[in-house]
Structure formats: C-alpha cells, structure tokens
Amino acid sequence: MSEKIPYKIYLSENEMPKAWYNLRAHMKNKPAPLLNPSTYQPMTAGELSGVFCDELVRQELDNDTPYFDIPTEIRDFYKMYRPSPLVRAYCLEQKLQTPAKIYYKFEGNNTSGSHKLNSAVAQAYYAKRQGLKGVTTETGAGQWGTALSMACSYLGLDCKVYMVKCSYEQKPFRREVMKVYGADVTPSPSESTQVGRKILAQYPGTGGSLGCAISEAVEVATATPGYRYVLGSVLNQVMLHQSIIGLEAKTALDKYGVKPDVIIGCAGGGSNLGGLIAPFMGEKLRGEADYRFIAVEPASCPSLTRGQYRYDFCDTGMVCPLSKMYTLGSGFIPSADHAGGLRFHGMSSVLSQLYADGLMEAVAVKQTDVFQAAEDFARIEGILPAPESSHAILAAVNEAMRCKETGEEKTILFGLTGTGYFDLFAYEKFHRGEMTNYIPTEEEIAAALAKLPVIA
Amino acid sequence: MSEKIPYKIYLSENEMPKAWYNLRAHMKNKPAPLLNPSTYQPMTAGELSGVFCDELVRQELDNDTPYFDIPTEIRDFYKMYRPSPLVRAYCLEQKLQTPAKIYYKFEGNNTSGSHKLNSAVAQAYYAKRQGLKGVTTETGAGQWGTALSMACSYLGLDCKVYMVKCSYEQKPFRREVMKVYGADVTPSPSESTQVGRKILAQYPGTGGSLGCAISEAVEVATATPGYRYVLGSVLNQVMLHQSIIGLEAKTALDKYGVKPDVIIGCAGGGSNLGGLIAPFMGEKLRGEADYRFIAVEPASCPSLTRGQYRYDFCDTGMVCPLSKMYTLGSGFIPSADHAGGLRFHGMSSVLSQLYADGLMEAVAVKQTDVFQAAEDFARIEGILPAPESSHAILAAVNEAMRCKETGEEKTILFGLTGTGYFDLFAYEKFHRGEMTNYIPTEEEIAAALAKLPVIA
C-alpha cells in the first residue's frame, strides 16, 4: 500500500485470466435447474442443445467445475479490448470529500460500449466451432445486440437480432452500428414469427418487451437449420464468461494489496453484477474473506426487491425454459418511461439463490436520481456513463456519503458497465425535466405474478 | 524484439511524458509568423493576448524552447483517460496477409471520442489560471466542442460553443453531450454576432462553415469581459499540446525496440498529425533518424495537395490573424456531402512549412473509399472509427498492401484519432449507397484563392 495507486490499473496481457470462474462450484445451495416449459421437468442437455450450442449447454449445466479454460481464440479477441481498466476515482472522492476509497471497473472501452462483448465472443466462438451458420438473439437497450454483431462479424457468423421496438425507434444509431457489423436487425414484435404475430394481434401498437423479443429469437433459432439462440444475461453460462470482470478487478486490487469492503453492481438479468462479484463471492462462500455485495436495480423494474422467488418463464411467449428466480412475472413490462436496459422481469438464478440465502443485499433506485448521478459523474470523472451503469454509481456515491458521515474509510468497488453514447435521447429528456419515475403498483406486480404456473 | 509485443502497449503513469515537445525549436525554417489582419504586420504578444490567454500566447510565439513542462493539474487530468493505448494491429495484418507490421495510436478512449481533449484541457487550464470566467470556440464535426466542454466542466469555466449549423442539425447527440457538460451551444451562423448576421444576410439558409464559426467565437470572446477564444487545431500551441500523442507512441515503441518506417495521420488543421509526428520529425530534423511521413486529407478539402502556400485568414469573417499555410482560400467551403471533420480551408503553419521543405508527403483520398476502409476496420479490429481517423486507416492499408506486393516488412504507425459513435448518420448514408465524392473543381479553388490579399 506504500506505492501510490495509479488512476488506472491495467493488467498486462500475461496477467489476464486464462480461465473463467464458475461460482456455482462453491455454492452450498446450487441454483435451481431450468425446467422444460411443457413438462416442468429439469431440462436435459439433449433438450437444451436444440436451443443452445453444445459447449454452452455443458457450461450451463455444470455446477461443479470451478474453472473453465478460456480458449486461445477468445483470449486473443479479449486482447483487442481488454484488460479493462480498474479506475481509482480520485476526482470523485475529492469532490465528495469522503474518506471512502472508490474504485470502478470500467467495461466501456469497446465499440459495443459495455461488458456484453465478454460473453458475446464466447458464445459466438462456440457456435462457430460447432459448425453453425448463425445465431439469433434479442436486444433491449442495444448493448447486447451490438456486442453480438461485433463478435459474429469477427468470426464470420450470421447474426439475427430482434430489437425491442421502442428501442429500435429511439436508438437509430444502435441499429446502425449493428448494421456496420453486418447484423440483420428486426424490430420486435414482428410479423416474421408466430409469437410476434400473436402478440401484435393481442397488443397492436405495443413497443415490445425483452421477453417477447426473446420468444421471437428462440422461435427463429429452433426453426432454422444451422442456427442456435444466444442470450446476453440471466443464464449461468453468461455469468461464467462475465467472471472475467471480477477476476481482472481482483487481480488488479491484489497487486496493490487493496481489499474492497463493499462491491456494488447494477442488476438487470445479472450478467455484470454476477461477473463482477464472482471471485469475491467465491472467497466469501469458502470462508476466506468477507465482503458486502449490493445489487442495484431500477425502481421501475424491481425484481429482487419486490418480486417473488419462484419458477417463471424467461420469455413472454412461454416457449423458453422456466428458471427459478426473483421475478415480477414474465408478463411484466416496465413503463415506457423507463430508459436504458435493466428491463428484464427476472434475475439470474445464481444471483437469486445468493440473495435468497442472505449473501447479497439489493436496493431499488429512482430513474431521475440515477440520471442526476450520471451527469455528476460525467462532469467529475469524465466518462459519460450508460444509464444502467449509473445505478451503481448512485449507490456507490450514497455509500461514500455515508462514510463521510461516519468517518469510515471504506473501500468501495463498483462496476461501470458501459458508456451512454447511444442513450442521449434519455439524457435530453432528463435535461428537459420530462423524465418521470414510474413505479409499478402492488396490483400491477400481483397481476403479472398471478398468471404464473405454480410449480412445487 | 525477442519479447512478444502485446496487442496493446500501455505506458505506466510514471512513463507518461512530463513535458510537451515543441518541434519548432528544431526546425531550420521556422513557420512564418501570424500577421495582424489590419496591418499585415507580425502579431505581437500584446495583440494576441486580447484573443488568447497569456500563457498560450507565449507558447504560440515560442519557436526556440524545445520542451514545455506539463503542469501537474493537467497531468492529473490526463491520467483520467491517458496513457492511450498503442495497438499492434495483429488482426488487420492477418486479414491483409501483409508482411508489414502495423501499429496505431488510439486516442478515442474518452467521452469526447478523440485526441482533442489533450489540448482542450491545457487551454482551459491556462484560462482558469489567468482568472478568466469563460472561453468561446467553434466546432465543426463536434469533437473539439465536446472536448472543450469536458475540460471546462472539470475546471469550472464557462464554455460557449459555436457549432457549424449543418453539424448542429445532423448531430443532435453531439450537442447533447456538450449540454451534459454544461456548455452553451449555438448553431453558426447565428443572429448573436455581427459577423453571423452579415453572413446570414449574404447567404440565407447556409449550413455554415468552420471559418464562419471561428469568426463568431472570436467576436464574442473579444467583446465579452473575462473571456478568451480557444481553438482546437491549426495553431502552434495546439500542436505543442498534441505532441503527447507522438511522445507516448515513441516511448511505447522504444520499449520494444521498434522503429517505424512510415508514420501516417489524417490532416485537417493538422493537430493530430502534428502531434503524432512531432518527436519523430524532431529526430529527422536533428539527423538522428529518418522516417517517411504521410498526411492524408479528404479529396473534398485538399489544402496540402491542391492549395497554395501563402498567407490567408484563418476565418471567413477575416477578423482573425493571417497564417502562412497551404490554403484553398478562406472563402472555401467543402461540399455539403462531406462528412466528419477535416473541413478547414488551410493547414497548420508548422506542417505547411515542413511540407514545403519536402520533409513530409501528402495524399488526398475519396470519401467512399474512406468509409469502406472504416467499415472493414470496424469488423477486423473491433473499433468503429471516426471518419477523420479513417483517412489514415485507408492510407495505412494501402501502404501495407504495397508491402504485400513487394514483400517488404515495413513498420507502419498511424494515428487512430477517435471513434465514429456520433457519425452514424454518415455511416448510414454510406450503407444506403447515397454517399458521393464531390471533388472541388480547379475553378472553385482558383475563385476562392483569387479573393485573398497578396502579401509580400
């Protein structure tokens, strides 16, 4: 600790992780298995392999192997934009006049603008290795679709993206980036799938939802020879790939003998939060160290803080497997006023289990507070953050301000998942004072939950 | 060279330059002095200090001091987004199947999206230190305006930006970013200045030009107490600040014993190119090493390749000093079809002198070729480049392809000045096949040059 800690800690390429860490291997209570949507029985590898490619099925189902080697080709791709910097937020600390020490792991220094690329390249790689022709997916805010387009373009794989219609219209530049990378982008719901046509008939003029876009992408993947479906969050395999965030962060902190007291991440499906906390949570589970973990979710889509822990479909069309998770109900659609991602109705089953076991905390924050934190952060630390990431910024600042009151010199680590360069409509709305804070009522959530099947 | 060169070379904070390098100190033929627009006599420090703040005037006029210490406050700001990576383009080399070794210095990993921040923070810092209230400037493509907004926001300085009207309308997100950073952004020409009103009367409905926006910004700076004008390119002081690009690149290459054969940069006003080549050109001028330098400019605004080397105004309104430079005439406005920056009618007087002395080459490239190179690069190297930077990409690829023909293992270094995240309208136009390649006629250039004063 005597050495001055730099503003940014970059690992060398040799220090980059050579294996992903599978937190499930060290969980006492394993996450519940995915269930077949027809039989409600645990999904077998055979059943899953119609949807996902084989190696990803293996990763999805493996609750025991602690480390998975990262193939050389993926590590080479990672080297194009990783290691990502671990930043000491000196300017923010000074501005807040807090005794807390604040670090953030910044995943935005790549064209997809977020951490999503970490799993996109892995999933595209295994699809290619299996000799597939292409993959389908959905995207909400657009980060995942962009990341997948980049990975597929690099590997020579077709990429069909179903983009939630309201995002498609609000974010023309997001879809244009995907097109630069050669992806085929369709607004969802669309007339190109059975499930899309059904939803359009039921809700004409709908702006779409992530759950619906998932249904469309899965339908196309299973109906098209040589295609599989890939998903940017929620699944165990995604959290496995995203462990590179936490592994790099931990290596960087260890180099300087720094141990965080509290680790904070925004939580939508859980890919970033799960990846960031993985190696730290592993230490906690193994009794080697203790940390506080805080999941930060939008008050407009509060699955952990206001959902129920139960089996639910991952999609609106109910064609996907069911996952046991904190959920608001697969029919829940966040208010149209909600900007950015973090709009999934449920939460990763790994994180859900950890939260149920009391190993992690969760808070829900209001949208306008999030954008105020985002703007302040941009002015102080230079980086214009993604709305998603700004949930974590707000919680970290709140934590640092509590340290100011108590005088505690806590070390705070948070995940800055990405940049907000494609979210400027939302920033503009915030500036004009037109942004609202719609918070779902108890009745709305109860109504969505009431439609779910009851599974023992 | 036995050590494997990583994909990205990051200097440590300790290795970052502590002084800027002033190439003029080692030029045998110094750049010609700025002239007073009324008397055509060399501008004195006293005259310049009405427009620029005092320390920047000193830097502007100093042709002798080889190094200027970078103040600690600026170095601390640099640490928020620097050092920038020097990237070995392994993927591009492999795709091209060239024996050439390609490196690029990537300046896009900051919210302004380009190298412009390097000078913006320096200029804002000196303005603040002088006790000024604010600064004015112009911006074309928007990179400079964004960079200055960020620097002013950080330092607590007012920032008034005159943005070329066609950019203001085509790039709503660019202006929104500036607003996030608290800048006051006005489309130019505007009714708020004398020169703006005059130009509007003469050319109603004009989309504006950089030269006109400069005139407006200068008028406001000189008429408002506590304000000065700052400029993002062309000037000697800017090239001084931007030398950090070349200094970092050279330090990184030296660490691995790599010596570039050819150094390539895009050239509008010359800030990036001048900064990138500075320490290498210094070695060439001192007879310590030899390099080829290539300036790449758009065929639609070809000041070096088709302009005349003579005194001209830096602005359309003829209120700014005159500079001896390669120019297309201060009345020259690039075709509305021209996308991105590199739209200034002249070129830095330092680079102009070097070019006149045969120390540097120049090529002009067509817009659609530039965008094709940009898209290819995005797919191969992951980064979606700015249109400006893509001029250098195209020239570097052409150079690498010549090496493939000849079998030469040349080492190529180019400047990747920034990202194209705010240029997606132009990318879209390119995709749709609607982008054209307007190249000015001999008559157009001659007409603009004919209006210039003849100065002995």
Side-chain angles (χ1 to χ4, degrees):
Chain A
M1 282 286 277
S2 60
E3 191 183 346
K4 156 91 172 168
I5 293 169
Y7 279 66
K8 289 190 262 88
I9 308 173
Y10 280 107
L11 302 180
S12 72
E13 282 178 11
N14 293 333
E15 292 169 319
M16 283 173 66
K18 294 179 180 56
W20 294 303
Y21 172 58
N22 181 13
L23 179 60
R24 286 167 283 157
H26 295 129
M27 286 170 73
K28 198 173 145 194
N29 299 323
K30 305 291 182 190
L34 293 170
L35 299 187
N36 183 305
S38 308
T39 64
Y40 296 166
Q41 294 302 306
M43 291 287 285
T44 63
E47 288 169 337
L48 283 170
S49 67
V51 180
F52 301 115
C53 65
D54 299 345
E55 173 60 26
L56 293 169
V57 169
R58 193 172 78 84
Q59 295 179 2
E60 188 64 30
L61 297 177
D62 190 328
N63 286 341
D64 304 304
T65 309
Y67 288 96
F68 283 79
D69 285 344
I70 309 175
T72 307
E73 294 84 346
I74 297 176
R75 284 169 53 206
D76 282 347
F77 186 90
Y78 280 166
K79 288 177 192 166
M80 291 209 300
Y81 69 100
R82 306 197 70 82
S84 74
L86 180 75
V87 186
R88 174 73 184 267
Y90 283 118
C91 298
L92 182 60
E93 291 171 17
Q94 193 178 17
K95 190 78 176 184
L96 299 177
Q97 292 282 303
T98 174
K101 291 169 182 60
I102 309 175
Y103 293 84
Y104 55 91
K105 180 70 170 165
F106 179 44
E107 292 287 320
N109 273 350
N110 70 75
T111 289
S112 84
S114 83
H115 66 294
K116 296 280 184 181
L117 199 50
N118 303 331
S119 185
V121 66
Q123 296 192 49
Y125 168 79
Y126 291 118
K128 184 75 182 177
R129 208 183 61 176
Q130 196 175 320
L132 298 175
K133 187 170 180 300
V135 290
T136 72
T137 199
E138 78 297 326
T139 199
Q143 292 179 340
W144 168 248
T146 311
L148 190 67
S149 306
M150 290 174 68
C152 287
S153 156
Y154 181 83
L155 291 161
L157 210 58
D158 285 351
C159 180
K160 291 181 194 295
V161 180
Y162 285 83
M163 185 170 187
V164 176
K165 192 184 274 172
C166 61
S167 272
Y168 184 90
E169 285 160 3
Q170 278 172 22
K171 300 193 174 185
F173 288 179
R174 269 282 177 209
R175 56 177 145 99
E176 198 51 39
V177 177
M178 290 185 250
K179 286 179 183 173
V180 168
Y181 288 95
D184 177 25
V185 188
T186 307
S188 166
S190 75
E191 294 286 350
S192 69
T193 64
Q194 283 183 7
V195 66
R197 290 190 290 273
K198 188 174 152 192
I199 290 168
L200 281 173
Q202 208 173 347
Y203 308 100
T206 176
S209 72
L210 210 49
C212 163
I214 293 175
S215 301
E216 292 202 86
V218 170
E219 182 183 322
V220 172
T222 50
T224 314
Y227 274 77
R228 291 293 187 282
Y229 167 71
V230 296
L231 180 64
S233 192
V234 184
L235 296 174
N236 298 338
Q237 57 188 271
V238 177
M239 196 169 143
L240 174 70
H241 307 146
Q242 294 296 357
S243 68
I244 193 160
I245 304 172
L247 292 166
E248 279 188 8
K250 188 157 190 319
T251 305
L253 288 171
D254 285 348
K255 276 179 78 166
Y256 290 89
V258 176
K259 188 184 161 300
D261 296 294
V262 50
I263 301 171
I264 298 170
C266 62
S271 73
N272 152 69
L273 178 68
L276 175 67
I277 70 173
F280 301 98
M281 183 63 88
E283 285 193 330
K284 181 164 175 160
L285 294 175
R286 298 190 304 267
E288 296 163 10
D290 196 19
Y291 305 95
R292 273 180 70 206
F293 301 98
I294 307 177
V296 194
E297 57 184 16
S300 53
C301 193
S303 56
L304 284 174
T305 52
R306 295 180 61 198
Q308 282 182 6
Y309 187 37
R310 59 187 288 181
Y311 267 106
D312 188 7
F313 296 94
C314 289
D315 64 329
T316 311
M318 305 186 179
V319 301
C320 287
L322 292 98
S323 174
K324 190 176 177 190
M325 56 186 177
Y326 282 87
T327 180
L328 298 163
S330 42
F332 178 85
I333 297 181
S335 155
D337 178 66
H338 174 88
L342 312 183
R343 52 173 74 236
F344 188 63
H345 62 272
M347 181 61 62
S348 138
S349 63
V350 171
L351 293 179
S352 291
Q353 185 63 52
L354 294 168
Y355 184 60
D357 290 342
L359 291 160
M360 185 176 81
E361 304 163 36
V363 293
V365 290
K366 282 198 305 183
Q367 178 159 259
T368 51
D369 293 344
V370 166
F371 273 82
Q372 188 59 57
E375 182 167 294
D376 292 346
F377 185 82
R379 293 184 180 196
I380 296 164
E381 285 283 320
I383 298 166
L384 182 82
E388 297 83 352
S389 326
S390 305
H391 289 71
I393 294 172
L394 175 59
V397 166
N398 288 343
E399 196 66 29
M401 293 309 284
R402 272 189 291 273
C403 290
K404 187 175 177 176
E405 283 169 27
T406 62
E408 287 173 288
E409 289 189 26
K410 281 189 191 167
T411 296
I412 300 167
L413 167 65
F414 73 90
L416 190 72
T417 57
T419 52
Y421 307 151
F422 295 102
D423 298 283
L424 285 154
F425 274 130
Y427 273 94
E428 193 172 9
K429 204 170 169 184
F430 171 68
H431 277 142
R432 289 185 177 162
E434 293 167 4
M435 185 171 273
T436 60
N437 286 304
Y438 184 79
I439 296 173
T441 62
E442 290 301 328
E443 292 69 27
E444 277 174 272
I445 295 175
L449 288 170
K451 290 180 188 157
L452 302 190
V454 178
I455 295 167
Chain B
M1 283 285 278
S2 58
E3 194 184 343
K4 156 91 172 169
I5 292 169
Y7 279 66
K8 290 189 262 88
I9 307 174
Y10 281 106
L11 301 180
S12 73
E13 283 178 11
N14 293 332
E15 292 169 318
M16 282 174 66
K18 294 179 178 58
W20 293 301
Y21 171 59
N22 181 12
L23 179 60
R24 286 166 284 156
H26 296 129
M27 287 170 72
K28 197 173 147 195
N29 299 322
K30 306 292 182 190
L34 294 170
L35 298 188
N36 184 304
S38 309
T39 64
Y40 295 167
Q41 293 302 305
M43 291 287 286
T44 63
E47 288 169 338
L48 283 169
S49 67
V51 180
F52 301 115
C53 66
D54 298 347
E55 174 59 25
L56 293 169
V57 169
R58 193 172 77 82
Q59 295 178 2
E60 188 65 28
L61 296 177
D62 190 327
N63 286 341
D64 304 305
T65 309
Y67 288 97
F68 283 78
D69 285 345
I70 307 175
T72 307
E73 294 84 346
I74 297 177
R75 283 169 52 205
D76 282 347
F77 186 90
Y78 280 166
K79 287 176 192 165
M80 291 209 301
Y81 70 100
R82 306 196 69 80
S84 73
L86 180 75
V87 185
R88 172 74 184 267
Y90 282 118
C91 298
L92 183 61
E93 291 171 17
Q94 194 179 15
K95 190 80 175 182
L96 299 178
Q97 291 283 301
T98 174
K101 292 169 181 60
I102 309 174
Y103 293 83
Y104 56 91
K105 181 69 171 167
F106 179 44
E107 292 287 320
N109 274 349
N110 70 76
T111 289
S112 82
S114 83
H115 66 293
K116 296 281 185 181
L117 199 50
N118 302 330
S119 185
V121 65
Q123 297 192 50
Y125 168 79
Y126 292 118
K128 184 75 182 177
R129 208 183 61 176
Q130 195 175 317
L132 297 176
K133 186 170 180 301
V135 290
T136 71
T137 198
E138 78 297 327
T139 199
Q143 293 179 339
W144 168 249
T146 311
L148 190 68
S149 305
M150 289 175 67
C152 287
S153 157
Y154 181 83
L155 291 161
L157 209 58
D158 286 352
C159 180
K160 291 182 194 296
V161 179
Y162 285 83
M163 185 170 186
V164 176
K165 192 185 274 173
C166 62
S167 273
Y168 184 91
E169 286 161 3
Q170 278 172 21
K171 300 192 173 184
F173 288 179
R174 268 281 177 210
R175 51 175 151 100
E176 198 52 38
V177 177
M178 291 187 250
K179 286 179 183 173
V180 168
Y181 288 96
D184 178 24
V185 187
T186 307
S188 166
S190 76
E191 294 286 349
S192 68
T193 64
Q194 282 184 6
V195 67
R197 289 189 290 273
K198 188 175 151 192
I199 290 169
L200 282 172
Q202 208 172 347
Y203 308 100
T206 175
S209 73
L210 209 50
C212 162
I214 294 174
S215 300
E216 292 201 85
V218 170
E219 182 183 321
V220 172
T222 50
T224 315
Y227 274 77
R228 289 294 186 282
Y229 168 71
V230 296
L231 179 64
S233 192
V234 183
L235 295 174
N236 298 337
Q237 58 187 270
V238 176
M239 196 170 143
L240 175 71
H241 307 146
Q242 295 296 357
S243 68
I244 193 160
I245 304 172
L247 292 166
E248 279 188 9
K250 191 161 188 317
T251 304
L253 288 171
D254 284 349
K255 275 180 79 166
Y256 289 89
V258 176
K259 187 184 162 297
D261 297 294
V262 50
I263 302 172
I264 298 169
C266 62
S271 72
N272 153 69
L273 178 67
L276 175 67
I277 69 173
F280 301 97
M281 182 64 88
E283 286 192 328
K284 181 165 176 160
L285 294 174
R286 298 190 303 270
E288 296 163 10
D290 196 18
Y291 305 95
R292 273 180 70 206
F293 301 100
I294 306 176
V296 194
E297 57 184 17
S300 53
C301 194
S303 56
L304 284 174
T305 52
R306 295 181 62 199
Q308 283 182 4
Y309 188 36
R310 59 187 290 180
Y311 267 107
D312 189 6
F313 296 94
C314 289
D315 64 329
T316 311
M318 304 184 180
V319 301
C320 286
L322 293 96
S323 174
K324 189 176 177 190
M325 56 187 176
Y326 281 86
T327 180
L328 297 162
S330 44
F332 178 85
I333 296 181
S335 155
D337 179 66
H338 174 88
L342 312 184
R343 52 173 75 237
F344 188 63
H345 61 272
M347 180 60 63
S348 137
S349 64
V350 171
L351 293 179
S352 292
Q353 185 63 53
L354 294 168
Y355 184 60
D357 289 342
L359 292 159
M360 185 174 81
E361 304 162 37
V363 293
V365 290
K366 282 198 304 183
Q367 177 158 264
T368 50
D369 293 344
V370 166
F371 274 82
Q372 188 59 57
E375 183 169 293
D376 292 345
F377 185 82
R379 294 184 180 196
I380 297 164
E381 285 282 320
I383 298 166
L384 183 81
E388 296 84 349
S389 326
S390 305
H391 289 71
I393 294 172
L394 174 58
V397 167
N398 288 343
E399 195 67 26
M401 292 310 283
R402 271 189 290 274
C403 288
K404 187 175 177 176
E405 283 169 28
T406 62
E408 287 173 288
E409 289 189 26
K410 281 188 190 166
T411 297
I412 299 167
L413 166 65
F414 73 91
L416 190 72
T417 56
T419 53
Y421 307 151
F422 295 103
D423 297 284
L424 284 156
F425 274 130
Y427 272 95
E428 194 172 9
K429 205 170 169 183
F430 171 68
H431 277 141
R432 290 184 175 163
E434 293 167 4
M435 184 171 274
T436 60
N437 285 304
Y438 185 79
I439 296 173
T441 62
E442 290 300 326
E443 292 70 27
E444 277 174 272
I445 295 175
L449 289 170
K451 291 180 189 156
L452 303 190
V454 178
I455 294 166

